[in-house]
Short mmCIF file of all heavy atoms in Angstrom, two decimals:
data_model
loop_
_atom_site.label_atom_id
_atom_site.label_comp_id
_atom_site.label_asym_id
_atom_site.label_seq_id
_atom_site.Cartn_x
_atom_site.Cartn_y
_atom_site.Cartn_z
N GLN Y 74 14.24 1.89 -5.50
CA GLN Y 74 15.44 2.76 -6.02
C GLN Y 74 16.16 2.15 -7.15
O GLN Y 74 16.02 0.85 -7.48
CB GLN Y 74 16.33 3.06 -4.85
CG GLN Y 74 17.00 1.81 -4.29
CD GLN Y 74 18.23 2.11 -3.48
OE1 GLN Y 74 18.14 2.40 -2.30
NE2 GLN Y 74 19.40 2.25 -4.16
N ALA Y 75 16.93 2.77 -7.79
CA ALA Y 75 17.78 2.40 -8.98
C ALA Y 75 19.05 1.74 -8.25
O ALA Y 75 19.29 2.04 -7.10
CB ALA Y 75 18.23 3.50 -9.84
N ASN Y 76 19.72 0.98 -9.04
CA ASN Y 76 21.00 0.46 -8.51
C ASN Y 76 22.21 1.50 -8.68
O ASN Y 76 21.91 2.63 -9.03
CB ASN Y 76 21.39 -0.87 -9.26
CG ASN Y 76 21.78 -0.66 -10.73
OD1 ASN Y 76 22.07 0.38 -11.24
ND2 ASN Y 76 21.71 -1.84 -11.54
N ALA Y 77 23.32 1.00 -8.35
CA ALA Y 77 24.50 2.05 -8.19
C ALA Y 77 24.67 2.64 -9.65
O ALA Y 77 25.30 3.75 -9.76
CB ALA Y 77 25.78 1.35 -7.82
N LYS Y 78 24.36 1.84 -10.68
CA LYS Y 78 24.49 2.47 -12.06
C LYS Y 78 23.30 3.33 -12.62
O LYS Y 78 23.16 3.70 -13.79
CB LYS Y 78 24.80 1.48 -13.09
CG LYS Y 78 26.31 0.85 -12.80
CD LYS Y 78 26.63 -0.13 -13.87
CE LYS Y 78 28.08 -0.43 -13.76
NZ LYS Y 78 28.50 -1.75 -14.33
N GLY Y 79 22.31 3.50 -11.65
CA GLY Y 79 21.14 4.23 -12.09
C GLY Y 79 20.15 3.47 -12.79
O GLY Y 79 19.24 4.09 -13.42
N VAL Y 80 20.14 2.23 -12.72
CA VAL Y 80 19.12 1.39 -13.48
C VAL Y 80 18.18 0.80 -12.53
O VAL Y 80 18.43 0.16 -11.60
CB VAL Y 80 19.88 0.26 -14.35
CG1 VAL Y 80 18.91 -0.60 -15.10
CG2 VAL Y 80 20.86 0.99 -15.21
N TYR Y 81 16.85 0.92 -12.84
CA TYR Y 81 15.81 0.25 -12.15
C TYR Y 81 15.52 -1.09 -12.74
O TYR Y 81 15.58 -1.39 -13.85
CB TYR Y 81 14.42 1.07 -12.33
CG TYR Y 81 14.45 2.25 -11.51
CD1 TYR Y 81 14.74 3.56 -12.10
CD2 TYR Y 81 14.12 2.39 -10.21
CE1 TYR Y 81 14.71 4.79 -11.52
CE2 TYR Y 81 14.03 3.56 -9.56
CZ TYR Y 81 14.37 4.62 -10.08
OH TYR Y 81 14.29 5.91 -9.40
N ARG Y 82 15.31 -1.95 -11.73
CA ARG Y 82 15.06 -3.43 -12.13
C ARG Y 82 13.53 -3.61 -12.45
O ARG Y 82 12.67 -3.82 -11.60
CB ARG Y 82 15.45 -4.28 -10.98
CG ARG Y 82 15.37 -5.82 -11.42
CD ARG Y 82 16.32 -6.58 -10.63
NE ARG Y 82 16.12 -7.91 -10.49
CZ ARG Y 82 16.96 -8.75 -9.95
NH1 ARG Y 82 18.05 -8.30 -9.47
NH2 ARG Y 82 16.82 -9.97 -10.04
N THR Y 83 13.23 -3.36 -13.70
CA THR Y 83 11.78 -3.46 -14.11
C THR Y 83 11.64 -4.53 -15.29
O THR Y 83 12.79 -4.82 -15.92
CB THR Y 83 11.25 -2.17 -14.56
OG1 THR Y 83 12.05 -1.62 -15.54
CG2 THR Y 83 11.09 -1.30 -13.52
N PRO Y 84 10.49 -4.96 -15.57
CA PRO Y 84 10.45 -6.04 -16.53
C PRO Y 84 10.83 -5.63 -17.92
O PRO Y 84 11.32 -6.56 -18.69
CB PRO Y 84 9.00 -6.53 -16.50
CG PRO Y 84 8.42 -6.05 -15.31
CD PRO Y 84 9.26 -4.78 -15.04
N ASP Y 85 10.82 -4.30 -18.19
CA ASP Y 85 11.28 -3.97 -19.55
C ASP Y 85 12.56 -3.74 -19.83
O ASP Y 85 12.97 -3.26 -20.81
CB ASP Y 85 10.36 -2.60 -19.99
CG ASP Y 85 10.64 -1.55 -18.95
OD1 ASP Y 85 11.22 -1.84 -17.84
OD2 ASP Y 85 10.09 -0.41 -19.12
N ASN Y 86 13.46 -3.95 -18.88
CA ASN Y 86 14.88 -3.76 -19.04
C ASN Y 86 15.78 -4.92 -18.64
O ASN Y 86 16.84 -4.85 -18.15
CB ASN Y 86 15.46 -2.45 -18.56
CG ASN Y 86 15.35 -2.44 -16.98
OD1 ASN Y 86 14.97 -3.29 -16.35
ND2 ASN Y 86 15.73 -1.33 -16.28
N ILE Y 87 15.16 -6.13 -18.57
CA ILE Y 87 15.88 -7.29 -18.13
C ILE Y 87 17.18 -7.57 -18.81
O ILE Y 87 18.15 -8.25 -18.34
CB ILE Y 87 14.94 -8.64 -18.07
CG1 ILE Y 87 14.33 -8.92 -19.40
CG2 ILE Y 87 14.05 -8.59 -16.91
CD1 ILE Y 87 13.71 -10.23 -19.50
N ASN Y 88 17.16 -7.18 -20.13
CA ASN Y 88 18.46 -7.41 -20.89
C ASN Y 88 19.49 -6.18 -20.71
O ASN Y 88 20.50 -6.17 -21.49
CB ASN Y 88 18.03 -7.49 -22.32
CG ASN Y 88 17.31 -8.67 -22.55
OD1 ASN Y 88 17.48 -9.71 -21.90
ND2 ASN Y 88 16.14 -8.59 -23.43
N ASP Y 89 19.22 -5.23 -19.88
CA ASP Y 89 20.21 -4.04 -19.71
C ASP Y 89 21.40 -4.62 -19.06
O ASP Y 89 21.38 -5.26 -17.97
CB ASP Y 89 19.47 -3.15 -18.83
CG ASP Y 89 20.23 -1.76 -18.80
OD1 ASP Y 89 21.56 -2.00 -18.78
OD2 ASP Y 89 19.71 -0.76 -18.94
N PRO Y 90 22.56 -4.47 -19.69
CA PRO Y 90 23.79 -5.01 -19.14
C PRO Y 90 24.13 -4.35 -17.67
O PRO Y 90 24.88 -4.86 -16.96
CB PRO Y 90 24.93 -4.65 -20.14
CG PRO Y 90 24.34 -3.63 -20.98
CD PRO Y 90 22.85 -3.92 -21.03
N ASP Y 91 23.48 -3.26 -17.44
CA ASP Y 91 23.78 -2.50 -16.16
C ASP Y 91 22.87 -2.89 -15.07
O ASP Y 91 22.97 -2.43 -13.89
CB ASP Y 91 23.61 -1.01 -16.36
CG ASP Y 91 25.00 -0.49 -17.09
OD1 ASP Y 91 26.00 -1.22 -17.09
OD2 ASP Y 91 24.89 0.63 -17.71
N ILE Y 92 22.07 -3.92 -15.38
CA ILE Y 92 21.23 -4.54 -14.19
C ILE Y 92 22.16 -5.25 -13.28
O ILE Y 92 23.08 -5.94 -13.74
CB ILE Y 92 20.17 -5.57 -14.76
CG1 ILE Y 92 19.02 -4.88 -15.40
CG2 ILE Y 92 19.69 -6.45 -13.80
CD1 ILE Y 92 18.06 -4.10 -14.37
N ASP Y 93 22.00 -5.02 -12.05
CA ASP Y 93 22.81 -5.70 -10.98
C ASP Y 93 22.06 -6.95 -10.56
O ASP Y 93 21.00 -6.84 -9.98
CB ASP Y 93 23.08 -4.80 -9.86
CG ASP Y 93 23.92 -5.37 -8.78
OD1 ASP Y 93 24.05 -6.51 -8.73
OD2 ASP Y 93 24.68 -4.53 -8.21
N PRO Y 94 22.58 -8.10 -10.82
CA PRO Y 94 21.88 -9.37 -10.41
C PRO Y 94 21.60 -9.45 -8.98
O PRO Y 94 20.76 -10.25 -8.55
CB PRO Y 94 22.66 -10.52 -10.99
CG PRO Y 94 24.04 -10.01 -11.31
CD PRO Y 94 23.83 -8.48 -11.50
N TRP Y 95 22.30 -8.76 -8.12
CA TRP Y 95 22.31 -8.87 -6.72
C TRP Y 95 21.45 -7.71 -6.08
O TRP Y 95 21.62 -7.59 -4.82
CB TRP Y 95 23.70 -9.11 -6.12
CG TRP Y 95 24.45 -10.06 -6.94
CD1 TRP Y 95 25.54 -9.77 -7.63
CD2 TRP Y 95 24.13 -11.55 -6.98
NE1 TRP Y 95 25.94 -10.95 -8.37
CE2 TRP Y 95 25.16 -11.98 -7.80
CE3 TRP Y 95 23.20 -12.23 -6.44
CZ2 TRP Y 95 25.24 -13.36 -8.16
CZ3 TRP Y 95 23.22 -13.56 -6.71
CH2 TRP Y 95 24.28 -14.21 -7.55
N PHE Y 96 20.69 -7.04 -6.84
CA PHE Y 96 20.11 -5.85 -6.35
C PHE Y 96 18.76 -5.78 -6.90
O PHE Y 96 18.48 -5.60 -8.20
CB PHE Y 96 20.86 -4.58 -6.63
CG PHE Y 96 20.34 -3.51 -5.89
CD1 PHE Y 96 20.57 -3.37 -4.44
CD2 PHE Y 96 19.73 -2.37 -6.48
CE1 PHE Y 96 20.06 -2.14 -3.83
CE2 PHE Y 96 19.16 -1.35 -5.86
CZ PHE Y 96 19.48 -1.15 -4.50
N THR Y 97 17.72 -5.69 -6.00
CA THR Y 97 16.29 -5.64 -6.62
C THR Y 97 15.83 -4.22 -6.61
O THR Y 97 14.93 -3.72 -7.26
CB THR Y 97 15.30 -6.51 -5.76
OG1 THR Y 97 15.21 -5.85 -4.43
CG2 THR Y 97 15.63 -7.95 -5.72
N GLY Y 98 16.34 -3.50 -5.56
CA GLY Y 98 15.91 -2.02 -5.39
C GLY Y 98 14.57 -2.00 -4.78
O GLY Y 98 13.96 -0.94 -4.59
N TYR Y 99 14.03 -3.14 -4.25
CA TYR Y 99 12.67 -3.09 -3.55
C TYR Y 99 12.89 -3.60 -2.09
O TYR Y 99 13.37 -4.61 -1.85
CB TYR Y 99 11.71 -4.03 -4.43
CG TYR Y 99 10.39 -4.11 -3.64
CD1 TYR Y 99 9.39 -3.09 -4.05
CD2 TYR Y 99 10.04 -5.11 -2.81
CE1 TYR Y 99 8.13 -3.00 -3.39
CE2 TYR Y 99 8.78 -5.21 -2.32
CZ TYR Y 99 7.78 -4.23 -2.57
OH TYR Y 99 6.60 -4.26 -1.95
N GLY Y 100 12.28 -2.69 -1.25
CA GLY Y 100 12.29 -3.20 0.23
C GLY Y 100 11.08 -2.66 0.79
O GLY Y 100 10.45 -1.77 0.46
N ARG Y 101 10.63 -3.59 1.84
CA ARG Y 101 9.24 -3.27 2.40
C ARG Y 101 9.46 -3.58 3.92
O ARG Y 101 10.10 -4.54 4.35
CB ARG Y 101 8.35 -4.22 1.87
CG ARG Y 101 6.82 -3.72 1.99
CD ARG Y 101 5.79 -4.54 1.03
NE ARG Y 101 5.44 -5.59 1.90
CZ ARG Y 101 4.16 -5.83 2.09
NH1 ARG Y 101 3.23 -4.97 1.61
NH2 ARG Y 101 3.69 -6.96 2.80
N TYR Y 102 8.82 -2.83 4.73
CA TYR Y 102 9.12 -2.90 6.18
C TYR Y 102 7.88 -2.35 7.03
O TYR Y 102 7.42 -1.21 6.79
CB TYR Y 102 10.45 -2.17 6.64
CG TYR Y 102 10.73 -2.27 8.00
CD1 TYR Y 102 11.01 -3.42 8.77
CD2 TYR Y 102 10.74 -0.96 8.79
CE1 TYR Y 102 11.43 -3.50 9.92
CE2 TYR Y 102 11.17 -1.15 10.17
CZ TYR Y 102 11.46 -2.31 10.86
OH TYR Y 102 11.86 -2.25 12.14
#
Side-chain angles (χ1 to χ4, degrees):
Chain Y
Q74 64 165 90
N76 68 22
K78 289 182 171 157
V80 178
Y81 286 95
R82 186 151 164 172
T83 53
D85 55 353
N86 67 359
I87 48 169
N88 297 320
D89 191 321
D91 286 333
I92 283 287
D93 185 335
W95 312 112
F96 191 72
T97 65
Y99 178 83
R101 207 170 86 119
Y102 180 63

